[in-house]
Amino acid sequence: MCSMPRSVAMTLSSSERVVPSPAFLRAWTVEGRRPGRLLRVSRQPLKEYKLGRKTEICLEPLQKEENLGPQDVVLRTQMRLPGQRAYAPCVDLVWDTGRGWTAGSLRQRVAHFCSLPVEKIEIAKYFPEKFEWLPISSWNQHLTKRKKKKKQDNLQGAPYYLKDGDTIGIKNLLVEDDDDFSTARDDLGKETQKQLALGKKSQEALRVQNGDLFSSTKTPGRPRAPEASLSIHVGSFR
């Protein structure tokens, strides 16, 4: 984390709560009303992040001291509640990607974090803007052997684009073995998006219809005059 946001945070938060040291804070950029980029490197000047003049920064207080390395990724993990389409509250997980951004490495870390056998968990990344969960364990299911050799198992790329602050759902297969990660809130969010999309289509169709109506009721313009003949003479420039 950069030193400037932490120093400012120590001053701003002193009147509300006691912050023992800057290591008890995280600094994030704000993107779409959500935490975006984690400012992690200590002693790095804020100007080196190239944040822009209107970038907003939010500060997250921590319960214990934290010093993240350049290969550490902070993920929000949520354990699926058995028999319910709901999750327990988020718990932060720090994943060391030193051995690669692979699905296998992440599954090992999550399994150890939850004290479960790696073959008894399923994990999925949450896309809040779509209200969708994408299982990570299915990384290689749609790849041929030839493509597997050419394409590295890297969760930073498509279709996961995994980064700091992402939410990972965890399902304990010892108590629940279905493949549904969604919640009732996701159903409501998708339905709301669907209704908004239908409303936009209706408005667009109405505008097109009104445009055709207006164009058909326009008064005819003045008749065009007959075209005059034009003679072109080519001279010699030698």
Side-chain angles (χ1 to χ4, degrees):
M1 217 178 289
C2 61
S3 57
M4 186 177 296
R6 285 186 169 186
S7 300
V8 174
M10 293 290 291
T11 302
L12 296 179
S13 62
S14 59
S15 60
E16 299 180 2
R17 59 178 298 171
V18 177
V19 180
S21 73
F24 282 81
L25 290 170
R26 289 189 193 130
W28 300 81
T29 60
V30 179
E31 300 174 7
R33 298 184 179 181
R34 297 190 182 96
R37 183 181 175 189
L38 179 60
L39 309 180
R40 64 177 64 244
V41 183
S42 60
R43 298 187 181 89
Q44 182 173 353
L46 193 61
K47 63 181 180 180
E48 293 186 10
Y49 285 95
K50 300 179 180 180
L51 299 178
R53 298 181 62 182
K54 296 184 179 180
T55 300
E56 296 181 352
I57 296 178
C58 66
L59 301 169
E60 178 186 5
L62 304 174
Q63 296 297 322
K64 60 181 181 180
E65 188 174 6
E66 178 180 82
N67 291 290
L68 299 175
Q71 296 177 330
D72 292 332
V73 178
V74 177
L75 301 174
R76 317 289 193 185
T77 63
Q78 287 187 288
M79 180 65 71
R80 181 84 166 186
L81 298 177
Q84 304 180 43
R85 299 184 65 210
Y87 291 87
C90 287
V91 179
D92 286 352
L93 177 149
V94 177
W95 173 35
D96 182 358
T97 61
R99 296 184 179 180
W101 286 72
T102 66
S105 174
L106 178 58
R107 286 174 58 82
Q108 288 283 351
R109 178 67 182 99
V110 172
H112 182 267
F113 184 73
C114 300
S115 299
L116 290 170
V118 69
E119 68 274 7
K120 294 300 181 181
I121 65 167
E122 287 293 344
I123 59 177
K125 177 187 170 178
Y126 187 51
F127 291 85
E129 67 281 0
K130 299 180 180 179
F131 299 97
E132 292 181 352
W133 297 83
L134 181 60
I136 293 179
S137 56
S138 61
W139 172 267
N140 287 325
Q141 288 182 358
H142 305 293
L143 297 178
T144 64
K145 292 183 179 180
R146 180 176 299 178
K147 288 182 178 180
K148 285 181 184 179
K149 294 180 181 179
K150 293 182 179 180
K151 187 172 182 178
Q152 185 181 6
D153 179 3
N154 190 332
L155 298 180
Q156 285 181 294
Y160 297 102
Y161 301 104
L162 199 64
K163 63 184 185 307
D164 288 309
D166 281 346
T167 297
I168 300 296
I170 308 169
K171 184 171 292 191
N172 183 355
L173 299 183
L174 294 173
V175 295
E176 190 175 26
D177 60 356
D178 66 272
D179 58 356
D180 180 27
F181 280 88
S182 64
T183 66
R185 180 178 177 274
D186 297 329
D187 295 342
L188 180 60
K190 286 186 177 182
E191 182 62 27
T192 301
Q193 288 183 336
K194 181 179 178 181
Q195 295 301 325
L196 290 174
L198 291 175
K200 289 181 180 180
K201 288 183 179 179
S202 298
Q203 292 178 1
E204 183 64 25
L206 183 60
R207 283 196 292 267
V208 172
Q209 182 179 0
N210 290 338
D212 293 341
L213 178 63
F214 292 150
S215 62
S216 62
T217 57
K218 287 182 179 179
T219 56
R222 297 174 60 183
R224 296 178 61 183
E227 295 183 358
S229 60
L230 178 64
S231 299
I232 300 176
H233 300 276
V234 179
S236 175
F237 295 90
R238 295 184 179 180

